[in-house]
Amino acid sequence: MSGTVTAVSSSSEYSFTKPNRPSITLLAGLGVEGDVHAGVTVKHRSRVAQDPTQPNLRQVHLIHKELFAEVGEEGFDVTPGALGENITTSGIDLLCLPVGTLLRIGDEAIVEVTGLRNPCLQIDNFQDGLLKKVVGRDEAGNIVRKAGIMSVVQVGGVVRPGDTITVQLPDEPHRPLDRV
């Protein structure tokens, strides 16, 4: 299974949307160089408030470009970086990957999938009503989160639009993604 990087984004300041860049550099054990969410311990404000010593399982946020087309059919205009992701992908069903999946990105970088992004109210501040499109419930009443996945950097490297992403599944039994 493989896909492609369609955009990369980062910001050194706390902001919901991250500007697109020509490239980003992933740093092993830290995240995206210069990004406000890079670090060994949690950087997301709500997590810091709970316990600032928690490990940062949200170093790199990935979203599938296909989500933008899906919400676009509902009248929303979402582009790469708009939801705060670092890497926008195409061709991979990110939400179906199990915990521990390795994503080899470009020539060097490897990230390990840790879980699902837990969408927050900031999404509705971005575009009213969008939150209901990226989090909902399935027929059985289970919560479905569509706002991408989180990962940690195992091997650093430069990532650019157009880079190939190769999926390496972990050994079975696979654990489904949950929010991190």
Side-chain angles (χ1 to χ4, degrees):
M1 185 179 347
S2 67
T4 305
V5 173
T6 60
V8 294
S9 309
S10 67
S11 178
S12 61
E13 300 175 5
Y14 281 104
S15 61
F16 184 70
T17 296
K18 295 185 179 188
N20 294 153
R21 309 284 183 195
S23 67
I24 57 174
T25 300
L26 303 185
L27 303 173
L30 295 174
V32 179
E33 182 177 44
D35 192 81
V36 70
H37 293 114
V40 174
T41 56
V42 293
K43 301 301 176 198
H44 288 77
R45 291 176 177 170
S46 63
R47 307 293 165 115
V48 170
Q50 292 173 354
D51 177 3
T53 66
Q54 295 176 72
N56 187 2
L57 301 178
R58 300 165 57 102
Q59 294 175 359
V60 181
H61 176 201
L62 299 93
I63 285 186
H64 50 295
K65 177 178 97 171
E66 292 82 357
L67 176 66
F68 304 157
E70 180 182 324
V71 299
E73 291 174 7
E74 303 277 338
F76 295 95
D77 182 21
V78 182
T79 57
L83 297 181
E85 77 276 10
N86 301 111
I87 300 175
T88 309
T89 70
S90 66
I92 299 174
D93 188 350
L94 297 175
L95 304 177
C96 288
L97 299 174
V99 172
T101 298
L102 297 179
L103 301 176
R104 298 176 184 278
I105 307 171
D107 294 332
E108 304 170 306
I110 301 174
V111 299
E112 181 178 345
V113 176
T114 56
L116 295 168
R117 175 190 184 182
N118 193 31
C120 64
L121 288 176
Q122 289 183 350
I123 291 175
D124 267 351
N125 293 337
F126 171 66
Q127 287 185 34
D128 189 42
L130 183 57
L131 181 61
K132 288 183 179 178
K133 301 302 176 190
V134 297
V135 65
R137 295 197 179 267
D138 64 15
E139 300 79 29
N142 300 309
I143 295 175
V144 176
R145 294 172 178 88
K146 298 180 184 179
I149 63 172
M150 307 308 284
S151 64
V152 295
V153 181
Q154 297 296 324
V155 177
V158 176
V159 177
R160 295 176 181 85
D163 281 351
T164 299
I165 305 169
T166 305
V167 176
Q168 180 182 335
L169 297 174
D171 292 337
E172 293 192 21
H174 293 162
R175 286 187 309 136
L177 297 178
D178 198 2
R179 69 182 181 95
V180 293

